[in-house]
Amino acid sequence: MKKLKLFLILFFGYAILTIIMTYPVVFRFSSHFMCDGGDGFQNVWNMWWMKKSLMAGTHPYYTNLLHYPAGITLLFQTLNPFNGLISIPFQFFFKMEEVYNLVVLFSFVMSGVSMYYLVDYLLDRKLPAFVAGIVFTFCPFHFAHGLGHLQLIAMEWIPLYVLYLLKTYQEDRKINAILTALFWVLNSLCSWYYMIYCFVFTVIFVIFYMIKCGRKIIDNGFLKRLGMAILIFSVVMSPILMPMLYTKITQDFTGEHNPEIWSADLESFFVPSGISTWGRRWFSGIWKDWTGNTAENSNYLGYIVLILSVYAVIKDRRCHLWAVAGFIFFVMALGPYLHVGGKQFSIPLPYLLFHRYIPFIAFTGVPERFDIMLKLCMSVLVGYGIINLNEIILSAFKNQMRSRSITTMRWGATTVKIVFNGILALLIGLEYLAIPYVTTKIEVPSFYRQMAKDTEHYGVIDIPSRSVTLYMATIHQKSLVGGYVSRPSLKALSFLDQTPIISTLMRGKPAPPSKLAQTLATSVFADFNIRYIITHNDQHLQFLEDILQLPVVHRADGITVYDCH
C-alpha cells in the first residue's frame, strides 16, 4: 500500500509539473496536437494503424494502406508499438488529438517517475531523487523530440532498465534479471535507438565493474543473471528482430541518416537551442548555424545541472560509473567528426569507428540522440551532488541551531532541505523552460470525411506526400499510393518510379505525350483501382486538367480532388 501511495504521489506531482512545463497544452488539449507539422502526424498514423491492424487480426508490421497496391514492410518504420498499444483503449472514446496528447503527457510524467525510482534506489533520499526526475524528464532532449518524434520522447523505460540492471548486479534474485529483460523489451518497443543504447550502457557497465571489481563480477553470479536477461530479451524480441535481419539482408532501403549532418555541435551542450524559451529569444544567432535541425541539436546541459554534476564527481566516489558512462555518451553524441559553431573539423572521433564496423550503430545514423543517455547519467549525478550539498547546508544549520530543542532542529532541518531542493528544482525548471510548447491544429477538409463514409476499398493519390497526409489517411481510411515511411525499401519505391503517370505525379518524371498520357492514365487507374487524386497546390493542375482531362469533384478547403474513374 505504501508503494502504491508513493507512486500516486509521484505520478500526480510530475503531472502537475508537466502541465506547467508544457503550457499552453492544457488549454489546447482537445483541439491541437502536441507536435509541429512534421513527423508527429506519422506517429498519429502509427497509433491508428496499430489499433486497426490488431482489431482486424492482421500483422502490424506490414500494410497495404501505404504504398498501395503492393504494400510495404513497417519493420523499419518508427512504429513504436508500445505507444500504439497503450493508445488503443483511448481511441475508442477520444479524438486523435486527445489520444496523441495523452501519450505525450504520459511520457513526461513517467520519465520523471522512473528516474525518481532509479536515483532513490541509489541514494535512498526522496527529495534529491525527485529533483533528478525533473532534470531527466524536462531536459531539452525531451522537449525537442516532442516536436514529432513520439518514439524518442517515450524514454520512460530507460531509467527502469538501468535500475534493474543494477539490481541484477547487486542482488542474487532472478526476478531482477527478468525485469531487466522486460524493460529492455519495452525500450525496444518504443525506439530501436533505445534498444541499442541499453545494450551500449550494459557493455559500459560490465567493463566498468570488471575493471573495478575483477573476479567479483563473475563470482557473485552477475554474468549468469545478465545472460538470463539477454536470453529472455532475445526470445521475446526474436519474432521482430529476425524478420528485420532477414529483410535488411535481402532488400535495400533508403532514408538512412548521414551522421556527419546529424551530429551534436559542441556548442549545443552549452547554449540553449531553438526549443528553449531563452534560446529562441536570445541565442538564435548561434544555434541557427548548427547542422541538423532543432529537434536534433537541442543538447543543452544547463549550468546548474552541469555544476551539480561536476561537484558530485569531485566529492563522491560513487559517481565514477555515471561520470565514465556520461563522458562516453557525450563523445558518441558528437558524431564521427567534431562540429563547433556549425563548422565540421577533420578531427575523427570514436563514433566513426563504430559507424564503419558495427552494423546496428551504422543503421541509426543520428549520433546526437546519444544525448539522452548523457542526460540520464547527469540526472543521477545531480542527485549525488544535491546529497553532498544537503549535508554541508544541514551541518551549518545545526551549528546555528545548537541551542534549540531537538524537535525544533528536526523541523528546521526538514524545512531547510525542502526549501533548498525546491529552489534547485525551480532554477533547473526555469533554465530548461520551453514554453510555449509547440502545438499544431489541423483542419480536416470535408472531402476526407466524405470518403470515410464510402465502404468501397480503393487507392488514393494524395500529393505532395507529407507527414500530415498520413493523418488524413486515418480520416478517410483508404489506401495511399506512396506514403511517408521512415525507411522505404527500393522495392516499394520502384512502383512509384516505374509506373507511368504515377511516376510523373509522385516522382517528378517527365509526362508522356498528351494522347498517350490519357490512354496510360485510364489503364493505370483502372488496373490498380485508383479512385481519386487529391492535390494541395497547383503544381500538377495543367497535367491533370488539360492533358489527362480529369473531372474535378471537389475544390475547397485548400484541396482539389480529381475523379480517376
Side-chain angles (χ1 to χ4, degrees):
M1 197 65 184
K2 288 184 178 179
K3 291 183 178 179
L4 176 60
K5 182 180 178 181
L6 174 62
F7 173 79
L8 291 175
I9 291 172
L10 293 172
F11 190 91
F12 286 108
Y14 285 113
I16 292 169
L17 292 176
T18 296
I19 290 170
I20 296 170
M21 296 294 285
T22 59
Y23 173 86
V25 167
V26 66
F27 301 110
R28 301 177 178 179
F29 183 76
S30 297
S31 59
H32 292 63
F33 287 96
M34 292 179 69
C35 63
D36 62 10
D39 290 346
F41 295 107
Q42 182 188 53
N43 284 299
V44 174
W45 186 90
N46 288 341
M47 290 193 297
W48 171 83
W49 166 246
M50 186 61 63
K51 171 178 173 283
K52 185 175 181 65
S53 65
L54 294 181
M55 293 298 102
T58 59
H59 202 299
Y61 282 92
Y62 173 84
T63 183
N64 70 346
L65 293 181
L66 301 179
H67 285 268
Y68 173 85
I72 192 168
T73 178
L74 298 177
L75 286 168
F76 299 102
Q77 169 82 330
T78 55
L79 196 59
N80 52 101
F82 171 79
N83 288 328
L85 290 170
I86 65 170
S87 77
I88 289 175
F90 300 104
Q91 290 188 50
F92 287 106
F93 305 104
F94 299 101
K95 297 161 57 179
M96 284 307 292
E97 289 93 336
E98 295 166 334
V99 173
Y100 183 91
N101 294 343
L102 278 171
V103 173
V104 173
L105 294 174
F106 175 82
S107 78
F108 274 97
V109 175
M110 281 305 299
S111 294
V113 172
S114 62
M115 178 53 72
Y116 170 91
Y117 282 128
L118 170 60
V119 176
D120 186 49
Y121 175 77
L122 290 167
L123 307 179
D124 193 26
R125 295 292 187 275
K126 308 300 183 188
L127 290 175
F130 192 83
V131 177
I134 290 174
V135 173
F136 185 67
T137 195
F138 299 124
C139 70
F141 180 98
H142 211 176
F143 287 117
H145 289 286
L147 291 173
H149 296 153
L150 193 66
Q151 73 280 11
L152 294 174
I153 66 172
M155 56 197 215
E156 58 265 22
W157 306 121
I158 303 176
L160 292 179
Y161 171 79
V162 174
L163 168 60
Y164 281 95
L165 180 66
L166 284 165
K167 287 189 172 186
T168 299
Y169 171 70
Q170 295 176 351
E171 304 171 13
D172 187 11
R173 299 176 65 203
K174 291 182 180 178
I175 186 63
N176 291 327
I178 295 170
L179 290 172
T180 300
L182 170 65
F183 289 117
W184 197 0
V185 168
L186 288 174
N187 277 295
S188 304
L189 295 179
C190 290
S191 170
W192 297 125
Y193 279 88
Y194 293 166
M195 178 188 75
I196 293 168
Y197 295 168
C198 287
F199 174 77
V200 174
F201 182 87
T202 303
V203 172
I204 295 170
F205 183 90
V206 171
I207 293 174
F208 178 87
Y209 277 104
M210 286 184 73
I211 294 172
K212 181 181 179 181
C213 303
R215 285 197 56 85
K216 181 183 175 183
I217 198 172
I218 300 173
D219 296 339
N220 73 356
F222 167 67
L223 293 182
K224 290 182 180 179
R225 296 190 294 275
L226 179 61
M228 175 183 171
I230 294 172
L231 178 62
I232 294 171
F233 168 82
S234 301
V235 170
V236 173
M237 291 301 298
S238 61
I240 302 174
L241 293 178
M242 294 306 292
M244 282 184 73
L245 179 62
Y246 175 79
T247 304
K248 180 62 177 171
I249 292 172
T250 57
Q251 295 186 40
D252 293 319
F253 289 81
T254 64
E256 294 182 15
H257 299 291
N258 181 352
E260 293 186 28
I261 296 174
W262 303 102
S263 296
D265 195 292
L266 185 61
E267 286 184 349
S268 69
F269 293 98
F270 306 101
V271 178
S273 73
I275 199 66
S276 162
T277 301
W278 320 117
R280 273 174 271 175
R281 181 170 298 182
W282 293 317
F283 299 103
S284 60
I286 299 176
W287 55 257
K288 67 180 177 60
D289 294 327
W290 300 338
T291 58
N293 56 30
T294 300
E296 301 292 359
N297 60 29
S298 297
N299 309 303
Y300 182 56
L301 301 175
Y303 286 97
I304 295 170
V305 169
L306 181 60
I307 290 169
L308 287 170
S309 298
V310 172
Y311 179 74
V313 174
I314 294 171
K315 295 289 291 184
D316 201 320
R317 293 181 179 180
R318 297 173 295 175
C319 296
H320 291 171
L321 168 65
W322 309 102
V324 170
F327 179 76
I328 291 171
F329 288 122
F330 167 72
V331 172
M332 291 293 283
L334 293 173
Y337 296 99
L338 182 66
H339 289 72
V340 182
K343 297 178 181 179
Q344 178 175 303
F345 294 86
S346 55
I347 301 175
L349 298 172
Y351 183 90
L352 182 63
L353 293 174
F354 289 98
H355 180 75
R356 285 181 178 176
Y357 300 112
I358 301 179
F360 62 82
I361 294 289
F363 189 67
T364 59
V366 188
E368 178 278 335
R369 294 176 181 176
F370 275 102
D371 175 58
I372 188 55
M373 300 304 291
L374 169 61
K375 294 299 192 296
L376 177 137
C377 294
M378 294 190 74
S379 299
V380 174
L381 291 174
V382 164
Y384 280 109
I386 292 173
I387 274 195
N388 283 275
L389 285 175
N390 278 344
E391 291 176 355
I392 294 173
I393 292 171
L394 287 176
S395 176
F397 173 78
K398 289 176 181 178
N399 286 335
Q400 293 289 326
M401 301 287 289
R402 276 182 295 183
S403 60
R404 304 295 178 90
S405 67
I406 294 176
T407 302
T408 302
M409 287 186 65
R410 284 177 178 174
W411 278 102
T414 302
T415 302
V416 167
K417 284 193 291 184
I418 292 173
V419 170
F420 176 65
N421 284 266
I423 290 172
L424 287 177
L426 177 63
L427 293 175
I428 291 167
L430 287 172
E431 197 169 12
Y432 281 171
L433 202 63
I435 59 173
Y437 193 99
V438 175
T439 59
T440 302
K441 185 174 184 178
I442 297 294
E443 299 292 344
V444 179
S446 59
F447 190 81
Y448 288 113
R449 301 193 187 281
Q450 180 182 324
M451 275 200 295
K453 297 176 183 178
D454 189 348
T455 57
E456 187 179 349
H457 181 74
Y458 48 79
V460 175
I461 297 175
D462 196 338
I463 49 178
S465 181
R466 303 169 296 166
S467 177
V468 73
T469 306
L470 296 184
Y471 171 57
M472 298 305 172
T474 69
I475 304 297
H476 62 68
Q477 303 192 30
K478 307 303 179 191
S479 293
L480 285 175
V481 177
Y484 179 49
V485 178
S486 306
R487 298 287 188 276
S489 66
L490 294 182
K491 180 181 177 182
L493 294 178
S494 66
F495 176 80
L496 305 181
D497 288 323
Q498 298 172 13
T499 306
I501 307 302
I502 290 176
S503 63
T504 300
L505 292 170
M506 304 200 69
R507 305 290 280 180
K509 299 291 181 67
S514 299
K515 290 185 178 179
L516 177 59
Q518 291 178 14
T519 303
L520 288 171
T522 301
S523 175
V524 167
F525 297 153
D527 289 347
F528 298 115
N529 192 24
I530 297 171
R531 177 68 57 83
Y532 297 114
I533 297 174
I534 304 172
T535 66
H536 297 257
N537 54 44
D538 296 332
Q539 181 181 353
H540 299 289
L541 186 145
Q542 182 181 7
F543 179 65
L544 293 169
E545 296 186 13
D546 297 343
I547 297 177
L548 298 187
Q549 298 181 2
L550 296 176
V552 175
V553 295
H554 181 90
R555 198 191 299 271
D557 308 318
I559 65 171
T560 303
V561 184
Y562 300 89
D563 192 340
C564 300
H565 279 195

